[in-house]
Amino acid sequence: QVQLVESGGGLVQPGGSLTLSCAPSGFTLDGYSIGWFRQAPGKEREGVTCINTRSGTRRFTDSVMGRFTISRDYAKNTVNLQMKRLQPEDTAVYYCAAVKYAEFSCPLVANEYHFWGQGTQVTVSS
């Protein structure tokens, strides 16, 4: 059974940092694109960043460019989202998602993804 499990969420002060981890269960990451999405209360799910594990291509939404980094940990078979200089507007439930993606890049559109994690809460507040 294919599953994704996110971890690492929590409460952080504005300007702080947090790292989320996405661990697949039932498959390895090779050949998949992994995306991180977030959804704040009353808002639509937003694509934050993604990585194509075959090509290494990464994409970021404008609001997190230069603050967030996505990386693959080969030893742990995880994809990590490192978030720096967090702001209250980054508060949301963060989800990771996976899709077998034949293209060079990776999609930042939620309906392109087939497998989803349960989400982890990130709250940025003083």
Side-chain angles (χ1 to χ4, degrees):
Q1 184 178 2
V2 174
Q3 288 184 325
L4 294 168
V5 179
E6 304 96 335
S7 60
L11 173 65
V12 62
Q13 291 187 341
S17 301
L18 207 58
T19 297
L20 307 181
S21 183
C22 175
S25 177
F27 69 102
T28 62
L29 293 173
D30 293 337
Y32 280 82
S33 281
I34 304 298
W36 280 99
F37 294 79
R38 65 186 180 186
Q39 189 164 18
K43 294 188 176 181
E44 293 188 355
R45 191 166 296 190
E46 173 193 23
V48 176
T49 181
C50 63
I51 182 170
N52 182 306
T53 62
R54 179 181 291 118
S55 67
T57 299
R58 295 161 169 83
R59 296 178 63 195
F60 298 88
T61 192
D62 288 347
S63 63
V64 307
M65 193 81 70
R67 299 190 299 125
F68 289 13
T69 303
I70 187 170
S71 62
R72 181 181 178 184
D73 187 323
Y74 286 86
K76 296 181 179 179
N77 193 37
T78 60
V79 170
N80 300 324
L81 175 62
Q82 297 168 297
M83 305 182 291
K84 297 181 180 180
R85 303 198 305 275
L86 284 161
Q87 300 302 318
E89 51 266 34
D90 295 315
T91 295
V93 177
Y94 282 71
Y95 301 87
C96 70
V99 63
K100 271 279 190 179
Y101 201 68
E103 303 297 325
F104 183 80
S105 184
C106 56
L108 271 178
V109 179
N111 61 15
E112 295 274 356
Y113 286 83
H114 297 159
F115 307 110
W116 289 84
Q118 81 288 350
T120 185
Q121 177 70 45
V122 172
T123 302
V124 184
S125 175
S126 56

